[in-house]
Amino acid sequence: MVVDDHPMWRDAVERDLQAAGLDVVAVAADGHQALARFPAARPQVVVLDLQIPGPNGVEVTASVLKTDPSARVLILSASGEQDDVLEAVKAGATGYLVKSASREELLDAVRRVARGDSVFTPGLAGLVLGEFRRLSDPTAATRDDPWHPELTERETEILKMVAKGLSYKQIAERLVLSHRTVQNHVQNTLRKLQMHNRVELTRYAIEQGLDEDD
């Protein structure tokens, strides 16, 4: 579903998505149209401009995800301002591209967001992670602690074991968890840290000193 109040831009995005073999099940020119058409269309991904006639993009994001939590929202906005990015992410958007992005970047972002990945225009991912680290632990900025408090205690515990070279099976046995549960925790950690595989995760954890004994 494509939501944008500029007809030429909306048509161009719709055309690009369709040309790439993606199904555009609905389009909308403002927040009211988007919310009215969303329940029947049930798009997997909503490509949404922030600056649309009310309700605005942040409000639409929150509303569509309340209606269907499995939907994904990719913001496509002219603004790369910190406040706009953070408000969108807090509302539930899993991706944010500025409109200077290329056609290929848009198509790649739509596909990745559909798979559940978080996708941001270069430079914005660090901003988002940094802000949420600050919000989740206001004292983090004032102490010498490289760790990211957005990870749960269990995720941190498993990451420490990954850093020490333990296999998923060994971790599962130590923590009396199923192999699948350990895998799920690792996947959640990868997503939160914007990483792609266990190699990156292990390197990061070692850099943070998580392979050392407490």
Side-chain angles (χ1 to χ4, degrees), residues 16-32:
D16 285 346
L17 295 174
Q18 289 176 329
L22 299 169
D23 249 346
V24 179
V25 296
V27 296
D30 58 44
H32 288 297

Side-chain angles (χ1 to χ4, degrees), residues 54-68:
N56 64 29
V58 170
E59 294 167 319
V60 169
T61 297
S63 294
V64 300
L65 293 176
K66 186 175 181 181
T67 301
D68 181 6

Side-chain angles (χ1 to χ4, degrees), residues 79-107:
S79 170
E81 293 296 317
Q82 175 174 328
D83 289 347
D84 289 334
V85 177
L86 296 177
E87 284 302 311
V89 174
K90 288 173 188 174
T94 51
Y96 195 109
L97 288 186
V98 294
K99 285 187 173 180
S100 58
S102 68
R103 174 181 180 274
E104 290 71 26
E105 287 172 326
L106 171 62
L107 296 175

Side-chain angles (χ1 to χ4, degrees), residues 43-198:
Q44 186 179 3
V45 177
V46 180
V47 180
L48 173 65
D49 186 14
L50 277 187
Q51 285 77 31
I52 53 175
N56 64 29
V58 170
E59 294 167 319
V60 169
T61 297
S63 294
V64 300
L65 293 176
K66 186 175 181 181
T67 301
D68 181 6
S70 70
R72 299 287 184 265
V73 176
L74 171 63
I75 300 297
L76 186 59
S77 174
S79 170
E81 293 296 317
Q82 175 174 328
D83 289 347
D84 289 334
V85 177
L86 296 177
E87 284 302 311
V89 174
K90 288 173 188 174
T94 51
Y96 195 109
L97 288 186
V98 294
K99 285 187 173 180
S100 58
S102 68
R103 174 181 180 274
E104 290 71 26
E105 287 172 326
L106 171 62
L107 296 175
D108 178 63
V110 169
R111 292 189 178 103
R112 288 175 59 193
V113 166
R115 295 196 300 265
D117 293 345
S118 296
V119 183
F120 295 94
T121 289
L124 296 184
L127 163 70
V128 173
L129 284 173
E131 177 67 7
F132 276 88
R133 183 160 66 246
R134 184 186 67 79
L135 290 175
S136 60
D137 186 351
T139 66
T142 62
R143 67 172 188 262
D144 184 22
D145 182 1
W147 187 234
H148 295 277
E150 70 268 13
L151 296 182
T152 65
E153 287 185 19
R154 179 65 87 187
E155 288 165 352
T156 303
E157 185 177 26
I158 289 174
L159 184 52
K160 287 181 178 181
M161 293 185 182
V162 169
K164 292 175 182 177
L166 273 66
S167 68
Y168 292 166
K169 181 180 179 182
Q170 290 171 319
I171 295 171
E173 290 173 351
R174 284 200 182 190
L175 299 180
V176 195
L177 297 172
S178 71
H179 185 273
R180 175 61 60 85
T181 298
V182 171
Q183 282 185 315
N184 288 342
H185 281 305
V186 171
Q187 288 303 313
N188 286 339
T189 303
L190 286 169
R191 176 178 54 78
K192 289 180 179 181
L193 297 179
Q194 300 282 300
M195 294 179 184
H196 303 95
N197 53 53
R198 179 171 171 155

